[in-house]
Amino acid sequence: MHFKWNYEPPTPQQQKAAEQLASSVNISSTLAMILVKRGITQEAEARKYFRPQLSDLPDPFLMKDMDVAVDRLNEAMGRKERIMVYGDYDVDGCTAVALVYKFLLQFYSNIEYYIPDRYDEGYGVSKKGIDYARDNGVSLIIILDCGIKAIEEIAYAKSVGIDFIICDHHVPDEVMPPAVAILNPKRADDTYPYKHLCGCGVGFKLIQGFAQNNGIQFARLIPLLDLCAVSIAADLVPVTGENRILAFHGLKQLNQNPSVGLKAIIDICGLNGRDISMSDIVFKIGPRINASGRMENGKESVDLLVERDFSNALSAAKHINEYNEQRKDIDKQMTEEANQIVSKIESQRQHSSIVIYDENWKKGVIGIVASRLTELYFRPTIVFTRDGNFATGSARSVAGFDIYSAIKSCRDMLLNFGGHTYAAGLTLRWDDVPEFRRRFHKYVEEHIVPEQQEAILNIDAQINFKDITRKLHNELKRFAPFGPDNPKPIFCTCGVYDFGTSKVVGREQEHIKLELVDTQSHNVMNGIAFGQSSSARYIKSKRSFDIAYTIEDNIYKHGSVQLQIEDIRHPSV
């Protein structure tokens, strides 16, 4: 795959702002320019960006209904009511449940947690879960990462004497459930200053509000921030504002003193002794927490996350790792089958979206398959499987296209749906899938723009190899944690050529290990280009080409850096 490079040279105004920022913050002009292009132009903003402070977290009571939620929680604890912490079965839901449960358990023992079974109960609040709560004397449910659309279910709970506090971050409908309190920064009537919290983040605000109201020191919340970092990374929410503060300090906690359960997962992932990053969470820690919910029941992940004994945690982590290995096999098979379906649809090239279905696909893996198809074809994608007379679907989108709105346009056909701009879930009758596909395709055709269907690589700066110093690399690390809306800076260098030692590597000879010379500065740099061996013949011809890359630590040569090549551009492309 080759990308369309998007690079905008700085304007005179941006150059002036970058020079002033570089001088006042004492960083290179290159990195000051990246900050300016990301909207950070003042010294105070830059210092806050480089040193996120927990003291800058917004007051939780700025969130609509926070006072009501805290009052109801205090009342429940004062009356010795049984409390249930209920959550979704994905990483965000499991970490949120673990965070709220672990914190409240320090002060109150009449509490339990519940994760619905994906295959038996489905997404969100289930009647089975409410009946379980009623039969076990629960009178207050704190629900996390779901619940904002569970109008009928929460009305039923209310009729049997159970109150709900909703902590959600999915887009609400005009009519909301009859809960005692609804904490959701995306509420139309909420003026909370940060709108992009994940479910675990909303749960954190609840316990922050509870602590503040009850005179509990904020320091007692800090050990739980590792769960926030895991959730923010895995749920792919913007790493800006409040999320960036929580992720920054959560990563610090994860690296220095992780909870017992996360420490066991770190061991299983082989991340011991490494500086764990957001990308390690996305590709290693997160998938393992997700695996139990995808393959069996997500409660096993919460059991692990709240475990206090390391030997028990390690045993549970190994078991969850087995689920992850099973998931990989099923994922691979389903992705291959999905690709075959897409390639057989002759008219697929004329469509701006992909909607495919197979009644035998595993419900817990369709979201991964949708993600892979989106990455491969650069089209909004929905993958369905069958559940009795119903179709359960998982949707993923391309940059800039709101797939939630596309699905919402077909809401008269849907039994249930929810999600974000880039990811959503939905349920409808199996027989209605063909008509849904026709209407969804039509909406996408009318609303998507060509640029949203291209593989675009946003270049932050054009530099020469002489600019790549240890100082620059150390300054780059201060831009972390990386994620959506705060991506790792990508550089490009034009006119490089092979030093003579570049070679194809990898089990299937799919990667290139590079040693390159910059024609401008004549400096030499090492690099690795994953999955780009198709460019090897051109590179070995000694002709010049352009590269786009990130700057990384060379883990095999301590103290040195290497380039991770994102794309190689040469005349034959």
Side-chain angles (χ1 to χ4, degrees):
M1 179 200 303
H2 290 280
F3 293 85
K4 177 181 178 181
W5 291 14
N6 178 31
Y7 173 65
E8 295 182 7
T11 64
Q13 293 87 348
Q14 287 176 325
Q15 286 179 328
K16 183 178 179 181
E19 286 168 11
Q20 292 173 345
L21 197 59
S23 173
S24 62
V25 187
N26 190 27
I27 58 172
S28 71
S29 57
T30 298
L31 298 190
M33 178 59 71
I34 294 174
L35 284 179
V36 168
K37 285 187 173 184
R38 294 187 182 188
I40 298 169
T41 59
Q42 303 300 315
E43 178 183 351
E45 293 175 312
R47 294 197 184 282
K48 278 194 172 187
Y49 177 83
F50 286 135
R51 287 195 291 272
Q53 300 293 317
L54 290 168
S55 57
D56 288 331
L57 292 174
D59 183 342
F61 288 96
L62 293 174
M63 191 176 290
K64 179 83 172 175
D65 277 5
M66 182 61 74
D67 54 345
V68 183
V70 170
D71 284 349
R72 182 64 185 92
L73 183 53
N74 282 331
E75 180 184 86
M77 294 170 78
R79 292 179 177 177
K80 307 295 183 187
E81 295 178 48
R82 186 148 186 80
I83 299 171
M84 175 188 282
V85 185
Y86 188 125
D88 189 20
Y89 35 62
D90 67 1
V91 178
D92 192 13
C94 289
T95 52
V97 168
L99 181 143
V100 172
Y101 175 79
K102 283 175 73 174
F103 180 75
L104 293 179
L105 191 63
Q106 298 175 74
F107 311 100
Y108 191 70
S109 60
N110 195 14
I111 186 169
E112 63 177 300
Y113 55 87
Y114 187 93
I115 302 291
D117 185 286
R118 183 193 294 261
Y119 298 95
D120 183 37
E121 298 169 74
Y123 170 79
V125 186
S126 72
K127 186 174 182 294
K128 180 180 177 180
I130 293 169
D131 287 342
Y132 171 87
R134 178 199 61 201
D135 295 344
N136 286 273
V138 171
S139 55
L140 176 63
I141 293 177
I142 301 170
I143 187 157
L144 298 133
D145 193 34
C146 54
I148 197 65
K149 295 198 173 187
I151 295 172
E152 291 180 14
E153 292 84 357
I154 291 178
Y156 169 68
K158 191 175 180 180
S159 75
V160 297
I162 299 173
D163 285 340
F164 265 78
I165 294 172
I166 297 174
C167 300
D168 204 350
H169 68 125
H170 297 96
V171 180
D173 279 337
E174 291 76 13
V175 178
M176 293 189 290
V180 169
I182 299 176
L183 305 180
N184 187 331
K186 291 192 177 77
R187 285 178 63 162
D189 58 350
D190 196 334
T191 57
Y192 189 73
Y194 190 73
K195 300 295 182 184
H196 306 297
L197 293 171
C198 57
C200 187
V202 180
F204 180 83
K205 298 311 290 186
L206 174 63
I207 65 167
Q208 185 188 1
F210 175 83
Q212 201 168 300
N213 181 261
N214 287 278
I216 299 166
Q217 288 189 338
F218 185 87
R220 297 193 70 164
L221 277 65
I222 291 174
L224 299 165
L225 290 174
D226 54 2
L227 291 165
C228 284
V230 169
S231 180
I232 289 165
D235 216 48
L236 298 175
V237 290
V239 184
T240 57
E242 186 166 10
N243 280 342
R244 192 161 189 277
I245 297 171
L246 293 171
F248 180 90
H249 290 277
L251 278 175
K252 189 175 176 183
Q253 186 71 25
L254 191 65
N255 279 291
Q256 294 177 359
N257 189 23
S259 64
V260 169
L262 286 173
K263 175 70 171 67
I265 298 173
I266 289 166
D267 277 22
I268 292 299
C269 293
L271 292 172
N272 258 333
R274 278 183 49 184
D275 189 19
I276 297 169
S277 67
M278 298 289 271
S279 139
D280 291 322
I281 295 171
V282 171
F283 294 108
K284 293 181 179 291
I285 296 173
R288 284 164 173 82
I289 296 173
N290 253 336
S292 65
R294 293 190 188 282
M295 305 305 295
E296 291 294 336
N297 190 301
K299 186 174 182 295
E300 291 186 47
S301 287
V302 182
D303 293 342
L304 169 57
L305 293 173
V306 302
E307 180 59 61
R308 300 182 199 181
D309 180 87
F310 185 71
S311 61
N312 290 342
L314 199 57
S315 175
K318 288 176 181 176
H319 188 54
I320 281 174
N321 194 56
E322 290 170 9
Y323 284 147
N324 195 49
E325 293 303 313
Q326 294 169 27
R327 188 273 305 165
K328 285 181 185 176
D329 292 338
I330 294 171
D331 164 14
K332 184 179 179 183
Q333 179 187 338
M334 282 173 54
T335 301
E336 288 173 357
E337 291 172 359
N339 269 319
Q340 288 173 10
I341 292 171
V342 173
S343 64
K344 284 178 183 176
I345 301 173
E346 293 182 10
S347 62
Q348 189 67 54
R349 291 182 183 177
Q350 299 166 8
H351 282 305
S352 296
S353 60
I354 296 171
V355 179
I356 59 174
Y357 48 95
D358 187 300
E359 62 182 34
N360 297 313
W361 283 340
K362 193 169 181 68
K363 187 158 60 169
V365 185
I366 56 175
I368 299 175
V369 176
S371 293
R372 297 201 193 288
L373 294 178
T374 303
E375 291 166 5
L376 186 61
Y377 295 101
F378 294 96
R379 297 174 201 168
T381 298
I382 304 179
V383 178
F384 285 104
T385 188
R386 187 166 187 165
D387 185 3
N389 294 324
F390 306 107
T392 298
S394 194
R396 298 293 183 271
S397 194
V398 293
F401 184 78
D402 185 350
I403 202 164
Y404 178 84
S405 293
I407 292 168
K408 189 177 180 181
S409 73
C410 306
R411 66 180 306 162
D412 58 296
M413 302 183 67
L414 304 178
L415 302 172
N416 193 12
F417 74 102
H420 316 278
T421 301
Y422 296 121
L426 62 158
T427 305
L428 67 160
R429 297 190 184 282
W430 180 257
D431 293 342
D432 289 342
V433 171
E435 175 61 14
F436 170 84
R437 177 167 64 176
R438 185 193 69 77
R439 285 175 54 181
F440 180 80
H441 281 328
K442 185 173 185 293
Y443 180 95
V444 177
E445 290 281 353
E446 292 171 353
H447 291 83
I448 202 164
V449 296
E451 297 77 40
Q452 292 169 340
Q453 296 182 278
E454 293 180 308
I456 294 176
L457 199 62
N458 291 311
I459 308 294
D460 289 276
Q462 184 171 333
I463 61 175
N464 296 322
F465 285 175
K466 66 178 174 55
D467 301 315
I468 303 173
T469 62
R470 169 51 60 179
K471 181 177 184 293
L472 177 84
H473 186 45
N474 287 337
E475 288 177 351
L476 267 176
K477 289 180 179 180
R478 298 171 67 193
F479 279 67
F482 300 113
D485 292 358
N486 188 49
K488 184 173 287 189
I490 295 177
F491 303 93
C492 72
T493 300
C494 299
V496 303
Y497 61 91
D498 180 25
F499 187 60
T501 53
S502 298
K503 59 183 179 180
V504 175
V505 296
R507 186 179 298 174
E508 298 177 14
Q509 300 287 282
E510 68 271 42
H511 314 309
I512 316 175
K513 193 172 185 304
L514 297 156
E515 198 166 8
L516 302 173
V517 180
D518 170 13
T519 52
Q520 298 296 314
S521 65
H522 302 292
N523 286 26
V524 179
M525 286 295 302
N526 292 310
I528 182 76
F530 294 111
Q532 298 183 61
S533 58
S534 59
S535 293
R537 180 173 293 181
Y538 184 93
I539 290 168
K540 297 301 288 183
S541 72
K542 286 285 189 176
R543 288 174 287 177
S544 68
F545 51 95
D546 306 334
I547 55 171
Y549 54 89
T550 59
I551 301 171
E552 311 287 347
D553 282 309
N554 188 333
I555 58 173
Y556 300 107
K557 293 183 180 178
H558 183 69
S560 66
V561 301
Q562 71 171 358
L563 312 182
Q564 182 166 313
I565 313 295
E566 300 295 325
D567 196 33
I568 297 169
R569 191 169 67 178
H570 47 79
S572 63
V573 175

